[in-house]
Amino acid sequence: MSKSLVFTERLGQILVITINRPEARNAFDAATAKAMSDIVDDFDNDASIFLAVVTGAGGTFSAGADLRAAARGELASTPERGGFGIFTRPPAKPLIAAVEGYAVGGGMELCMACDLVVAASDAKFGLPEVRHNVIALGGGLFRAPRRVPYNIAMELLLTGDMQSAATLQQWGFVNRVSEPGQALAGALELGRRILRNGPTALAATKQIVRAAVDWTENEAWAQQMAMATSALESEDRREGVQAFLEKRDPVWQGR
């Protein structure tokens, strides 16, 4: 039986997504992008899973696109979700990157498709495309300036230099730094903290924040309500209020 290029493990209401091409430093080819896209579809469609963590097998997050596959004419993308099966349409629910080793090129852009980043202290990040006269077209050019100050983003993009997890934490790109080998554990700890809260509210919050970058303030007042309504009218909303009145922990259903 052939191995799964991307495999999952469910831990309660958290889905762990593991890129599984360690022999290629978890670089993405067309088949890996398709596998990721299918998994993200399933994650979005399963109301009983509230949050996901994406990581890489073999001590590396991702070295980006598989250049050998690209040389054969393969595109590491899908029509539905774009590059790596996730770049243009990330999941609607919260997604955390757990980074060990290298997150380079598309690997760093994969982090930018996530909402939070937990990285091992010895992890390295970089957008080195310009060194090969290539352009970071996986979202890096417009997402990097949203994650870090403009001048820092330009340094990353124009020098192509590698950066440490500690440096990127100072710049606000990395949320937490863990001991080597403990990035997934750190991401799961952060995920469990998040999941104390209502899952439909979490999903709506993410969707509003992501969409708001394209709104004026006047538009935001009107348009946020369309995305908030499903959460405000959900069973979880009623459960949250009832649990508060009864002074107990809520039991979330994701609907």
Side-chain angles (χ1 to χ4, degrees):
M1 182 181 294
S2 61
K3 71 170 187 177
S4 298
L5 296 172
V6 184
F7 67 84
T8 62
E9 179 183 8
R10 181 164 179 169
L11 300 175
Q13 293 155 332
I14 298 176
L15 184 70
V16 178
I17 303 168
T18 302
I19 310 158
N20 189 35
R21 297 188 74 211
E23 73 285 353
R25 298 174 67 200
N26 296 322
F28 275 72
D29 58 7
T32 309
K34 179 63 166 62
M36 177 65 77
S37 180
D38 290 345
I39 286 169
V40 175
D41 284 347
D42 291 343
F43 170 45
D44 267 346
N45 293 329
D46 190 336
S48 68
I49 302 176
F50 303 159
L51 177 148
V53 176
V54 61
T55 192
T60 292
F61 186 70
S62 175
D66 185 328
L67 298 182
R68 290 185 176 86
R72 297 193 299 267
E74 284 190 30
L75 293 177
S77 66
T78 66
E80 300 80 13
R81 293 187 180 269
F84 289 21
I86 195 171
F87 286 169
T88 60
R89 190 159 67 88
K93 294 179 258 188
L95 180 63
I96 304 174
V99 180
E100 299 279 353
Y102 288 87
V104 181
M108 187 169 183
E109 290 172 315
L110 177 55
C111 293
M112 295 182 200
C114 299
D115 305 296
L116 304 102
V117 179
V118 176
S121 59
D122 57 355
K124 299 292 184 183
F125 299 77
L127 294 165
E129 284 86 345
V130 290
R131 295 187 175 186
H132 312 289
N133 208 62
V134 179
I135 300 174
L137 295 177
L141 298 184
F142 51 86
R143 285 178 174 157
R146 297 173 186 169
R147 294 296 185 98
V148 298
Y150 171 85
N151 58 310
I152 297 299
M154 292 303 286
E155 181 178 340
L156 281 168
L157 292 162
L158 296 180
T159 67
D161 289 347
M162 301 297 292
Q163 302 293 340
S164 69
T167 296
L168 288 181
Q169 185 181 40
Q170 291 176 352
W171 291 343
F173 185 88
V174 169
N175 294 83
R176 296 186 179 183
V177 175
S178 72
E179 293 296 320
Q182 296 301 308
L184 178 57
L188 291 172
E189 179 186 1
L190 179 56
R192 292 183 183 112
R193 279 195 62 196
I194 291 169
L195 291 186
R196 297 172 187 171
N197 306 305
T200 55
L202 292 172
T205 295
K206 169 176 176 171
Q207 291 165 43
I208 292 168
V209 170
R210 283 201 168 245
V213 297
D214 298 320
W215 296 340
T216 65
E217 185 163 330
N218 285 338
E219 290 171 336
W221 286 113
Q223 296 195 45
Q224 67 176 351
M225 286 308 300
M227 295 183 178
T229 298
S230 61
L232 296 177
E233 295 178 352
S234 67
E235 293 179 28
D236 283 332
R237 162 73 171 179
R238 293 188 286 275
E239 168 63 10
V241 172
Q242 193 63 32
F244 175 79
L245 294 174
E246 295 174 4
K247 299 181 179 180
R248 61 174 174 80
D249 292 335
V251 180
W252 307 122
Q253 300 297 322
R255 58 179 186 268

